[in-house]
Amino acid sequence: AEGGKVTQAVLSAADGGDASGQAIFGRVGKEEIVLQVTAENLEPTDTGESYTVWLYRSPKLSLRVGSVAVGEGGRLGARFTIPAELLAYVASGAFDQIYVSRTSNAAYQQEVARAKKDKTLPRYTGETVLTGPITGPIAKSGAEGG
């Protein structure tokens, strides 16, 4: 992405606090597509909790990318491999934001069980901590410069 435009989301605190971060779509090698997420000034996770990264459109249309624990330093750094099909959904505007929520692992597992039973996708869970619109070359919104 040197010198080129990147598809990314600049993340800011949902509650107006000082947490912040960035999510960048990228490619590793020829095949692997990744979403690299970094954040700082987060509350450390307790046992049984994690920060969950979502491709987000609305509470009913969101997709969990992955989750990670955050230690005493309050910094999150993770890279999640995502299927190429998901990038197509971002490009079409189906998902136009990145959300990060603080999630009870047990509550998420309950939601997964409900979704399997109902043959639907798991719904967005947790307390929203960071949000940001996806911008860049593949983003449908075409919001530039932000």
Side-chain angles (χ1 to χ4, degrees):
E2 293 294 315
K5 293 194 179 295
V6 295
T7 298
Q8 66 176 343
V10 175
L11 306 173
S12 55
D15 64 1
D18 60 356
S20 63
Q22 185 174 35
I24 299 174
F25 291 89
R27 204 177 272 279
V28 176
K30 290 184 179 172
E31 300 298 317
E32 192 177 25
I33 297 169
V34 298
L35 179 63
Q36 184 165 321
V37 182
T38 56
E40 55 189 18
N41 299 321
L42 296 171
E43 292 289 322
T45 47
D46 292 326
T47 303
E49 280 187 332
S50 57
Y51 283 95
T52 303
V53 178
W54 303 83
L55 289 176
Y56 188 90
R57 175 71 181 219
S58 71
K60 290 183 180 173
L61 184 57
S62 55
L63 190 61
R64 178 183 183 267
V65 176
S67 63
V68 64
V70 169
E72 289 302 315
R75 299 178 81 84
L76 180 155
R79 179 189 290 179
F80 304 103
T81 300
I82 60 172
E85 297 81 20
L86 276 186
L87 213 53
Y89 285 116
V90 171
S92 73
F95 298 110
D96 57 0
Q97 298 176 75
I98 300 285
Y99 270 45
V100 178
S101 66
R102 187 172 177 162
T103 310
S104 156
N105 296 339
Y108 181 73
Q109 290 309 320
Q110 283 180 323
E111 179 54 30
V112 168
R114 183 214 54 84
K116 279 184 182 170
K117 188 173 89 119
D118 296 347
K119 294 183 171 60
T120 61
L121 287 174
R123 289 185 296 231
Y124 184 85
T125 52
E127 176 190 347
T128 303
V129 178
L130 294 168
T131 66
I134 299 172
T135 62
I138 68 163
K140 175 91 169 174
S141 65
E144 294 297 323

